[in-house]
C-alpha cells in the first residue's frame, strides 16, 4: 500500500506491505524535481514502478543500503534505465546484498536483487535544486543526508526516526550517530524529511531532542557501568521495554545493543 503526502515541491510516498489491509511497517520515498530519494522495499516493486512512471523520475539517490531504502534499484536500472547513486560503501552492499537476512526483514521488506549503482558526488543537482551530500554514518556506515541550502531542506534517511530510541540495531555505531546528529543540527534546517515519518514538525528541535536523549542515555550507561553493573543489568535499568521488538527481530534490535555500543572498548565517552 502507498499513501501520498504533498509538501509542495517535495512529495512523500509512505509505503508498506499490508496484511488484511493493515500496514506492517511504514517506510517511504521522496520525489523532488525528478529525483527519487530511496527506492523502497523490494516487495513493493510493482507499486514503485508505477509510481516512477507517474512521477517521471529521472534520477535516484539512496540514503543507505538497507533494503527498505535501496530495494528497487535493480528495477530502476533495468526497466527505467536509471542507475541510482549511493555512497561508495553502499554500492558494495547493494551489489552484494545479504543472501539470508533475518526472517522479520524477509517478511516485511523482501530480499533485494544485486545491482550496480554509481557514486554520488559532493553535490547532487536537479534542474531546480542543488543538494549537498553529507555523510552521516551511525545507523549505517554508508548513510548520507541531503541538504538543500536555498530551501533549508534536510533529507535525513534513517538518522532521525524518533526523538527517543528504545532499542538499537546490532550494527549501529552510536558515537558516529552522535557526531552525525551534531553536524546536521548545526545546519539548523528549516524542514526535516525522515524516510519513515515524512516531514518532521520542528525538525531542528526534534533532531536536537534526539541528540540530547542519546547523550543522556550514554551518561547513564557509563554511570551504571562505573557502579559495577554488567551489560544485562544495565540494559534492564534503561527506560522502556524492548521485549516485543527484541523477540520479533530475533535480537537484531534491543536495549542491550545500546549498552555494548556505548561501552565499546577503545572509545572515550
Ligand atoms: Zn535503515
Ligand atoms: Zn529504514
Amino acid at each position: 500500500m502507498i499513501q501520498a503526502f504533498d509538501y509542495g515541491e517535495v512529495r512523500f510516498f509512505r509505503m508498506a506491505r499490508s496484511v488484511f489491509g493493515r500496514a506492517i511497517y511504514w517506510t517511504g520515498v521522496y520525489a523532488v524535481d525528478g529525483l527519487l530519494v530511496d527506492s523502497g522495499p523490494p516487495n513493493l516493486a510493482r507499486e514503485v514502478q508505477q509510481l516512477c512512471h507517474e512521477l517521471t523520475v529521472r534520477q535516484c539517490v539512496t540514503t543507505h543500503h538497507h533494503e527498505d531504502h535501496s530495494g528497487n534499484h535493480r528495477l530502476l536500472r533495468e526497466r527505467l534505465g536509471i542507475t541510482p547513486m549511493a555512497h561508495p560503501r553502499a554500492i558494495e552492499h547493494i551489489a552484494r546484498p545479504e543472501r539470508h537476512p533475518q526472517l522479520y526483514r524477509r517478511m516485511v521488506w523482501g530480499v533485494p536483487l544485486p545491482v550496480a549503482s554509481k557514486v554520488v558526488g559532493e553535490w547532487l543537482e536537479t534542474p531546480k535544486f542543488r543538494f549537498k551530500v553529507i555523510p552521516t554514518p551511525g545507523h549505517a556506515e554508508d548513510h548520507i543526508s541531503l541538504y538543500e541550502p536555498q530551501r533549508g531542506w534536510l533529507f535525513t534517511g534513517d538518522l532521525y526516526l524518533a526523538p527517543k530510541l528504545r532499542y538499537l540495531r546490532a550494527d549501529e555505531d552510536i558515537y558516529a550517530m552522535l557526531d552525525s546528529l551534531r553536524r546536521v543540527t548545526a545546519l539548523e534546517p528549516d524542514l526535516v524529511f525522515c524516510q519513515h515519518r515524512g516531514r518532521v514538525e520542528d525538525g531542528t528541535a526534534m533532531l536536537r531532542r534526539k541528540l540530547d536523549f542519546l547523550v543522556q542515555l550514554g551518561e547513564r550507561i557509563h554511570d551504571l557501568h562505573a557502579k559495577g553493573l554488567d551489560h544485562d543489568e544495565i540494559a534492564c535499568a534503561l527506560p522502556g521495554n524492548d521485549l516485543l521488538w527484541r523477540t520479533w527481530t530475533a535480537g537484531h534490535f534491543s536495549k542491550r545493543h545500546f549498552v555494548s555500543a556505548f561501552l565499546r572498548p577503545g572509545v572515550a565517552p
Side-chain angles (χ1 to χ4, degrees), residues 25-28 38 63-64 66-69 109 139 143 157-158 161 169 195-196:
Y25 188 85
W26 290 110
T27 181
D38 287 336
T63 57
H64 61 300
H66 292 163
E67 64 271 29
D68 48 326
H69 299 261
W109 299 307
H139 172 72
H143 195 286
D158 280 357
L161 296 178
R169 205 173 128 130
Q195 294 301 127
H196 289 268

Side-chain angles (χ1 to χ4, degrees), residues 155-217:
F155 293 83
T156 52
D158 280 357
L159 177 60
Y160 170 67
L161 296 178
K164 290 183 181 178
L165 294 185
R166 292 298 181 210
Y167 25 74
L168 202 68
R169 205 173 128 130
D171 53 0
E172 288 183 281
D173 180 336
I174 198 74
Y175 291 105
M177 190 186 292
L178 289 171
D179 179 60
S180 295
L181 281 166
R182 281 192 189 100
R183 284 184 291 107
V184 298
T185 306
L187 298 170
E188 306 212 334
D190 293 315
L191 289 173
V192 170
F193 297 106
C194 170
Q195 294 301 127
H196 289 268
R197 300 256 169 167
R199 187 176 61 192
V200 181
E201 297 302 321
D202 295 324
T204 297
M206 295 305 271
L207 284 166
R208 207 169 273 132
R209 266 179 67 183
K210 176 165 182 179
L211 176 60
D212 292 345
F213 170 78
L214 290 177
V215 167
Q216 285 166 19
L217 188 73

Side-chain angles (χ1 to χ4, degrees), residues 16-257:
R17 183 182 167 195
S18 59
V19 174
F20 301 120
R22 293 188 60 157
I24 302 182
Y25 188 85
W26 290 110
T27 181
V29 305
Y30 287 93
V32 49
D33 197 23
L35 172 71
L36 192 68
V37 182
D38 287 336
S39 67
N43 59 11
L44 293 177
R46 224 178 33 194
E47 290 90 337
V48 170
Q49 186 173 355
Q50 169 84 21
L51 191 65
C52 290
H53 279 303
E54 285 168 16
L55 297 170
T56 47
V57 169
R58 291 182 297 271
Q59 304 186 79
C60 175
V61 63
T62 190
T63 57
H64 61 300
H65 74 277
H66 292 163
E67 64 271 29
D68 48 326
H69 299 261
S70 68
N72 292 301
H73 281 22
R74 172 107 157 214
L75 177 152
L76 284 162
R77 194 173 148 95
E78 290 190 346
R79 305 222 190 129
L80 306 170
I82 297 166
T83 301
M85 295 168 275
H87 184 280
R89 297 287 290 147
I91 290 175
E92 293 172 31
H93 288 291
I94 294 165
R96 280 183 293 280
E98 286 173 67
R99 293 181 65 180
H100 302 289
Q102 290 85 351
L103 179 64
Y104 83 93
R105 289 166 61 193
R106 282 179 273 149
M107 284 173 63
V108 176
W109 299 307
V111 181
L113 295 168
V115 64
S117 319
K118 60 185 178 189
V119 176
V120 65
E122 260 182 69
W123 290 88
L124 196 171
E125 294 193 18
T126 68
K128 286 197 226 155
F129 307 114
R130 220 167 159 245
F131 297 89
K132 174 103 178 101
V133 176
I134 305 171
T136 44
H139 172 72
E141 59 172 354
D142 53 20
H143 195 286
I144 58 167
S145 299
L146 301 172
Y147 180 57
E148 212 295 328
Q150 301 294 327
R151 293 287 196 277
W153 293 335
L154 184 72
F155 293 83
T156 52
D158 280 357
L159 177 60
Y160 170 67
L161 296 178
K164 290 183 181 178
L165 294 185
R166 292 298 181 210
Y167 25 74
L168 202 68
R169 205 173 128 130
D171 53 0
E172 288 183 281
D173 180 336
I174 198 74
Y175 291 105
M177 190 186 292
L178 289 171
D179 179 60
S180 295
L181 281 166
R182 281 192 189 100
R183 284 184 291 107
V184 298
T185 306
L187 298 170
E188 306 212 334
D190 293 315
L191 289 173
V192 170
F193 297 106
C194 170
Q195 294 301 127
H196 289 268
R197 300 256 169 167
R199 187 176 61 192
V200 181
E201 297 302 321
D202 295 324
T204 297
M206 295 305 271
L207 284 166
R208 207 169 273 132
R209 266 179 67 183
K210 176 165 182 179
L211 176 60
D212 292 345
F213 170 78
L214 290 177
V215 167
Q216 285 166 19
L217 188 73
E219 286 168 358
R220 183 162 163 73
I221 288 170
H222 280 283
D223 279 353
L224 294 170
H225 183 61
K227 285 183 182 140
L229 274 68
D230 69 22
H231 285 209
D232 286 328
E233 289 167 335
I234 297 171
C236 280
L238 297 183
N241 188 334
D242 68 350
L243 183 64
L244 188 68
W245 261 79
R246 187 157 40 88
T247 310
W248 160 238
T249 64
H252 199 212
F253 280 87
S254 76
K255 286 201 286 183
R256 203 179 184 289
H257 295 317

